[in-house]
Amino acid sequence: MAIVLGLLAALFFGSGDFFGGLSSKRTSVLNVVAFSHLVGLVGVSALAPFLANSFAWDDMAIGVVAGAIGGVGVALLYRGLAIGPMAVVAPLTAITSAAVPATWGVLDGDSLTIWSWIGVIAAVVAIALISIPSEIDSSPVTTSVVLQSLVAGACFGTMFILFDATSDATAPWPVVGARLLTSGVLVAFVFLRRRDSLATVRPTFGIIVLTGLFDTGSNAMFLYATTLGDLTIVAVLSSLYPASTVLLARFVLHERISRLQLSGLVTALVATALIAAG
């Protein structure tokens, strides 16, 4: 079940990225992140009392910290994509976001079979291949771009570790804590500093709602997956999220899938089978 939830987390992560990118073409990234997180907060807050077995302020606090660190990761990722080539920024961020919690899981006692290890390695290769865009731009690969990509991935990985550190019984309250912080800060900033841009939100609000539901749902799926399986496995599987982004872009926007991306999708299927066999 942990493998299924990990893959669902990847599906939700990638879908959230796709709809977030789509809505960002019509309004500012700040508006998209702020209101999608607000939608996610409303949704997960409504469900939490019925899904959680208990409530703990400590886990809520961990969720708030996780949200803050994840927010820094998002900011660095978007900045990296703005100033550097996606072919470098996307794979580095995705692989690091998988490697950090996977390493932590191993150090914390996760014990994997040889088949699972082969699957993990194959999944990392798949993440790299899928993340390489069809069209390579000519933006310079600077030290700053590389560092920002690595730090962004480390922030996402740290957020996953913090979610894993919370009690199983309190899920999904830590996600509520994470979204409470990010949506509160960002929405306040939008209304205080960028009120003139709110008019651009209304035409794309439906897509922003989808972004928020998928993005927050992915965090909840990840949290539940870690209650049932090893952090190492769940982190790697959930980091296959570029696959769903690429597939949605292909079938919704009719974007071309490169041979490298196609080989990455096949490798991801092989990796999942190996992990499941282990």
Side-chain angles (χ1 to χ4, degrees):
M1 192 61 182
I3 293 175
V4 173
L5 288 175
L7 291 173
L8 282 175
L11 174 64
F12 277 47
F13 271 126
S15 300
D17 279 357
F18 173 78
F19 288 111
L22 202 60
S23 53
S24 294
K25 295 180 180 181
R26 307 178 188 182
T27 186
S28 72
V29 171
L30 177 61
N31 285 341
V32 173
V33 177
F35 289 105
S36 65
H37 279 205
L38 181 60
V39 168
L41 171 64
V42 172
V44 74
S45 297
L47 293 175
F50 302 99
L51 297 177
N53 293 320
S54 64
F55 175 87
W57 285 109
D58 289 350
D59 284 353
M60 277 287 285
I62 292 174
V64 169
V65 174
I69 295 174
V72 172
V74 169
L76 289 173
L77 173 60
Y78 282 135
R79 177 172 170 77
L81 292 171
I83 66 176
M86 185 179 292
V88 173
V89 175
L92 276 179
T93 301
I95 291 173
T96 307
S97 70
V100 168
T103 302
W104 179 270
V106 172
L107 294 176
D108 195 42
D110 287 354
S111 180
L112 308 183
T113 66
I114 183 64
W115 291 114
S116 293
W117 273 118
I118 296 174
V120 166
I121 294 170
V124 171
V125 173
I127 293 166
L129 292 173
I130 297 168
S131 300
I132 298 175
S134 301
E135 298 181 2
I136 307 299
D137 63 52
S138 58
S139 303
V141 181
T142 63
T143 302
S144 175
V145 167
V146 172
L147 287 176
Q148 286 186 66
S149 303
L150 292 174
V151 174
C155 285
F156 295 140
T158 302
M159 179 182 71
F160 295 152
I161 292 171
L162 288 171
F163 279 146
D164 182 58
T166 59
S167 170
D168 296 352
T170 62
W173 282 115
V175 179
V176 174
R179 286 295 174 265
L180 188 63
L181 175 74
T182 54
S183 63
V185 171
L186 292 175
V187 170
F189 184 80
V190 166
F191 276 97
L192 290 174
R193 301 292 297 275
R194 301 178 65 90
R195 190 185 300 271
D196 57 326
S197 69
L198 289 176
T200 62
V201 173
R202 189 176 296 108
T204 190
F205 189 70
I207 304 177
I208 291 177
V209 169
L210 287 176
T211 303
L213 294 177
F214 278 118
D215 180 55
T216 303
S218 66
N219 283 271
M221 291 290 181
F222 180 92
L223 186 59
Y224 280 112
T226 59
T227 67
L228 299 172
D230 292 333
L231 174 61
T232 302
I233 296 297
V234 174
V236 171
L237 288 177
S238 63
S239 293
L240 288 169
Y241 65 86
S244 54
T245 306
V246 167
L247 289 173
L248 280 170
R250 172 67 183 89
F251 291 110
V252 177
L253 303 179
H254 306 293
E255 292 185 1
R256 186 174 66 89
I257 297 179
S258 69
R259 290 182 179 179
L260 283 177
Q261 289 175 321
L262 185 59
S263 65
L265 292 172
V266 174
T267 305
L269 293 176
V270 174
T272 302
L274 289 168
I275 290 172

